[in-house]
């Protein structure tokens, strides 16, 4: 992946459930983590008692966190509604110069903060909740 502007990593929400995504927030900082937790099959007969892992059996998951500003009142409402409903929603993460990650996520944290001299900001955390698809840039 070549150098890209951080501002181009976008977070979009399928607000209606029909596969149409819209940007819901202007994230000033964001972090996407892809993880694969291995399955340990080590036993008393493992060579030299070295850990052994089962190939192809890891549990994969993705986490996204970010902070910024909502695009508008309607966007703030859509994210807040998703949080209070506790529903798994389909989100799309655009990774510039790399591709698109899409699938169900649980909105696990939504925090608001503000300074009396500036705007209200928010922090959001998403955890994958099912199979994700990755579409590379062509």
């Amino acid at each position: 992946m070549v150098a890209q502007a951080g501002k181009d990593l976008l977070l979009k929400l399928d607000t209606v459930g029909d596969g149409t995504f819209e940007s819901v927030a202007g994230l000033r900082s964001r972090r996407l983590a892809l993880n694969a937790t291995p399955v340990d099959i080590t036993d008393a007969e493992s060579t030299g008692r070295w850990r052994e892992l089962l190939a192809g059996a890891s549990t994969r998951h993705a986490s996204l966190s970010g902070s910024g500003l909502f695009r508008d009142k309607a966007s703030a409402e859509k994210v807040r509604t998703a949080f209070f409903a506790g529903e798994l929603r389909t989100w799309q993460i655009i990774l510039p110069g790399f591709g698109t990650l899409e699938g169900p996520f649980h909105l696990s944290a939504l925090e608001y903060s503000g300074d009396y001299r500036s705007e209200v900001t928010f922090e959001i955390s998403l955890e994958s909740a099912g199979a994700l698809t990755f579409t590379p840039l062509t």
Side-chain angles (χ1 to χ4, degrees):
M1 177 189 239
V2 298
Q4 299 289 328
K7 67 178 178 61
D8 293 336
L9 191 152
L10 300 175
L11 178 61
K12 297 183 173 200
L13 173 63
D14 181 354
T15 58
V16 182
D18 65 355
T20 303
F21 293 90
E22 65 179 85
S23 294
V24 290
L27 296 177
R28 291 183 174 169
S29 67
R30 70 249 334 131
R31 179 177 174 268
L32 173 66
L34 301 173
N35 297 286
T37 306
V39 175
D40 188 337
I41 59 169
T42 308
D43 62 25
E45 295 181 5
S46 294
T47 306
R49 293 221 185 246
W50 283 98
R51 179 175 72 164
E52 294 182 68
L53 302 176
L54 184 59
S58 61
T59 303
R60 296 180 293 175
H61 66 279
S63 301
L64 180 124
S65 60
S67 64
L69 304 170
F70 285 111
R71 293 177 52 92
D72 52 34
K73 184 177 178 180
S75 295
E77 173 68 24
K78 289 171 185 173
V79 172
R80 188 174 57 248
T81 299
F83 177 80
F84 282 109
E87 301 170 337
L88 301 180
R89 302 291 296 273
T90 303
W91 294 79
Q92 189 178 68
I93 303 160
I94 310 298
L95 302 159
F98 194 56
T100 302
L101 191 65
E102 182 180 316
F105 282 85
H106 169 68
L107 201 166
S108 60
L110 182 59
E111 302 175 29
Y112 298 92
S113 61
D115 185 325
Y116 75 96
R117 292 175 293 188
S118 65
E119 71 279 355
V120 171
T121 60
F122 76 96
E123 292 184 27
I124 191 169
S125 295
L126 301 173
E127 296 289 333
S128 62
L132 301 179
T133 58
F134 177 73
T135 306
L137 289 177
T138 54

